Amino acid sequence: MKIKKNIAISDSGFIFNPETGESYTANILAVKMLDLIKDGKERDEIFNNIMEDYSVELETLERDYNDFLSMLQRFQLVQDHE
Amino acid sequence: MSKPGYTIAVTGLNAIDSPGPGVSVIRALREAASFEVKIIGLSYEALEPGIYMHQLVDKTYQVPYPSAGTEALLSRLEYIHSKETLDLIIPNFDAELFPYIRIEGKLSSLGIKTFLPEMEQFEERHKMNLPEFGEKYGFNVPDSINIFQSAELNKVNEKFSFPVLVKGKYYDAYVAYNMDQTMSYYNKITAKWGLPVVIQEFVHGAEFNVTGLGDGFGNTISCVPMRKQYITDKGKAWGGITISDPRIIELTHQFLGKTKWRGGFELELMKDKENQFYILEINPRIPAWIYLAVGAGQNIPEALVNMAMGKDVKPFDSYETGKMFIRYAWDMIVELNEFQQISMNGEL
């Protein structure tokens, strides 16, 4: 999955889609996930990176990550499916 | 080299909750880099706020309503011209376009320029003719019917499923969810704007607007799309943001290329769930949110003036995406004698 190139994501978590004019706010963890996805990291790399900083079960993380990806697709912030 | 100076008359000074574009157009003209302006306001009512904005409007004259006919309008404009020596008039109301296009030649012979669509362009994009327009040029438009008497309202049930949009000839639009509401809005609109009333298929989706300028030869001089962020109960944008959807820009190029539209315009678009764009309305004049386009880097009123003056105007090639406007209300203090002057003498 790739985040659309023109999507603007600020350090504070403000996301702006210039095609639609929609804007969203993301929390710190969501921004971290977005940055990792934007950097082209694979799923396992993303999980390892997050589990280094956060105390979370892999199962929970997988579920939340999948929810997050669904949301990105629904908001048309990604180019194509993983 | 010194800049040229133009005396430009502008209508639409009603900067109210459903604002006319005049004050925004004047702000744009005041910020023009290529000329200086003297602004003559043309008003219909004594309480149009722009009349009293002396930092923007140098002098205002009342003019007769379009319903008074072109002779009355021309006669008043001749008087104003004798006092002010107008270079150009920018009409900003849909209902004004018809009389101004009709007297375009006479104004030209007086030395007053305009930059308006041709009568055929103006008529064919009318909301009453939108289905034919869509078919002729290959654009997606919602289906609609024109109702000339209440007995014809039974066609609504035959042709559409609710909700439907009930629209006035020039202004006003209501969403009706059943036949009772349709009838009620029909009566409300006919009392205010006359017949016909347009019943339009309701397209569910996200609304977008685009403003721009066509040179009359099929070329796009300007194109700035916007998404409304804050909408008033009258459906007007109270806040908006420039966007960069390439399909909207392509649609605008097609509109201008196919119709060879001359002048300013606004397309009202709806993107449905299948991501198809529909043209809901084509407004034949500059919209009230035009100052957003100026803020984003395209001074459309300035370009329009230069084109009307016969200058070579290069198409704009960029604008800033993510630029916002937020409208606000402002209470001006006005002296009674000013209100008296415009009310009694028709001039201020």
Side-chain angles (χ1 to χ4, degrees):
Chain A
M1 178 176 288
K2 284 182 179 167
I3 307 291
K4 283 182 181 171
K5 282 181 185 164
N6 56 357
I7 302 294
I9 306 168
S10 76
D11 292 341
S12 63
F14 184 81
I15 302 168
F16 175 62
N17 182 348
E19 264 188 43
T20 63
E22 296 279 11
S23 57
Y24 312 91
T25 52
N27 63 20
I28 297 167
L29 182 56
V31 173
K32 188 178 176 72
M33 279 190 184
L34 284 167
D35 284 342
L36 291 167
I37 295 169
K38 270 193 116 172
D39 288 346
K41 303 290 185 200
E42 294 298 326
R43 188 183 179 95
D44 289 346
E45 282 182 278
I46 293 171
F47 287 177
N48 289 336
N49 197 308
I50 288 172
M51 289 173 81
E52 278 175 20
D53 292 343
Y54 295 89
S55 172
V56 57
E57 297 291 327
L58 181 60
E59 192 182 332
T60 307
L61 180 56
E62 278 181 336
R63 192 179 60 234
D64 289 352
Y65 179 75
N66 287 335
D67 286 349
F68 185 61
L69 295 189
S70 302
M71 197 161 62
L72 294 180
Q73 284 171 352
R74 197 166 66 247
F75 292 158
Q76 299 176 37
L77 298 172
V78 291
Q79 280 177 327
D80 45 34
H81 297 282
E82 197 169 31
Chain B
M1 210 167 87
S2 65
K3 296 178 190 175
Y6 301 133
T7 301
I8 302 175
V10 178
T11 71
L13 305 183
N14 56 329
I16 56 173
D17 60 339
S18 179
V23 169
S24 299
V25 168
I26 293 166
R27 282 184 78 191
L29 296 176
R30 290 274 180 211
E31 292 182 19
S34 54
F35 51 75
E36 302 288 344
V37 284
K38 179 181 181 186
I39 297 292
I40 304 302
L42 303 179
S43 68
Y44 294 98
E45 299 281 348
L47 284 175
E48 292 179 26
I51 298 169
Y52 306 96
M53 296 178 179
H54 302 306
Q55 75 282 17
L56 292 176
V57 182
D58 295 294
K59 172 121 191 197
T60 298
Y61 294 84
Q62 280 203 321
V63 289
Y65 275 104
S67 55
T70 52
E71 285 305 313
L73 176 64
L74 188 61
S75 167
R76 182 64 173 158
L77 290 175
E78 281 171 343
Y79 167 78
I80 296 166
H81 187 50
S82 74
K83 298 281 183 189
E84 305 293 347
T85 316
L86 302 176
D87 292 302
L88 175 75
I89 299 179
I90 304 179
N92 287 305
F93 287 125
D94 295 21
E96 289 175 334
L97 267 287
F98 182 83
Y100 274 100
I101 293 170
R102 281 195 62 185
I103 63 171
E104 198 174 16
K106 286 176 181 168
L107 291 175
S108 178
S109 66
L110 292 171
I112 305 171
K113 293 183 167 54
T114 52
F115 198 69
L116 303 171
E118 290 170 6
M119 189 59 91
E120 188 186 338
Q121 296 171 329
F122 174 74
E123 288 292 342
E124 70 178 3
R125 60 83 243 171
H126 202 289
K127 66 183 89 170
M128 293 184 297
N129 303 325
L130 201 58
E132 293 80 11
F133 179 89
E135 195 174 332
K136 178 177 176 184
Y137 293 112
F139 294 120
N140 288 332
V141 299
D143 200 2
S144 66
I145 51 173
N146 303 321
I147 303 290
F148 290 87
Q149 51 182 315
S150 57
E152 293 176 342
L153 279 171
N154 57 13
K155 291 180 188 169
V156 176
N157 265 330
E158 293 166 14
K159 198 170 172 66
F160 301 107
S161 55
F162 287 100
V164 294
L165 275 166
V166 187
K167 293 184 160 186
K169 188 164 50 171
Y170 292 115
Y171 306 104
D172 279 353
Y174 300 95
V175 182
Y177 290 89
N178 53 46
M179 206 56 214
D180 287 343
Q181 285 184 349
T182 306
M183 178 67 89
S184 165
Y185 293 138
Y186 170 86
N187 290 331
K188 194 170 178 176
I189 287 171
T190 48
K192 200 168 175 186
W193 302 114
L195 292 164
V197 167
V198 179
I199 308 289
Q200 193 178 71
E201 173 192 5
F202 186 89
V203 181
H204 294 268
E207 193 181 334
F208 297 88
N209 295 59
V210 54
T211 186
L213 180 64
D215 67 353
F217 299 101
N219 302 305
T220 306
I221 301 300
S222 170
C223 168
V224 181
M226 176 274 279
R227 181 187 180 121
K228 292 177 184 177
Q229 290 180 301
Y230 190 152
I231 301 175
T232 68
D233 58 356
K234 290 185 178 171
K236 304 296 172 187
W238 200 258
I241 187 164
T242 54
I243 58 170
S244 63
D245 192 324
R247 289 168 302 167
I248 295 181
I249 293 167
E250 178 54 31
L251 181 62
T252 307
H253 289 324
Q254 283 183 22
F255 163 70
L256 292 171
K258 289 176 177 177
T259 64
K260 296 186 171 38
W261 185 266
R262 183 176 61 193
F265 66 90
E266 178 192 33
L267 304 181
E268 296 183 12
L269 307 172
M270 189 70 86
K271 186 168 74 171
D272 72 4
K273 287 173 188 165
E274 279 75 46
N275 286 331
Q276 292 285 318
F277 280 99
Y278 285 77
I279 298 179
L280 300 187
E281 271 189 37
I282 300 162
N283 293 319
R285 39 82 194 157
I286 292 170
W289 57 272
I290 193 67
Y291 195 71
L292 175 64
V294 180
Q298 298 196 5
N299 192 330
I300 292 175
E302 179 181 10
L304 183 147
V305 169
N306 282 326
M307 294 188 79
M309 293 299 170
K311 309 263 181 183
D312 181 29
V313 177
K314 299 266 184 302
F316 290 99
D317 56 11
S318 65
Y319 62 89
E320 202 174 330
T321 306
K323 202 69 140 180
M324 295 169 59
F325 82 93
I326 303 171
R327 201 165 273 161
Y328 68 101
W330 179 265
D331 298 345
M332 287 188 295
I333 302 302
V334 174
E335 298 302 330
L336 182 63
N337 72 325
E338 293 200 336
F339 179 62
Q340 177 186 310
Q341 271 190 57
I342 190 77
S343 300
M344 300 305 292
N345 306 331
E347 297 180 20
L348 179 63

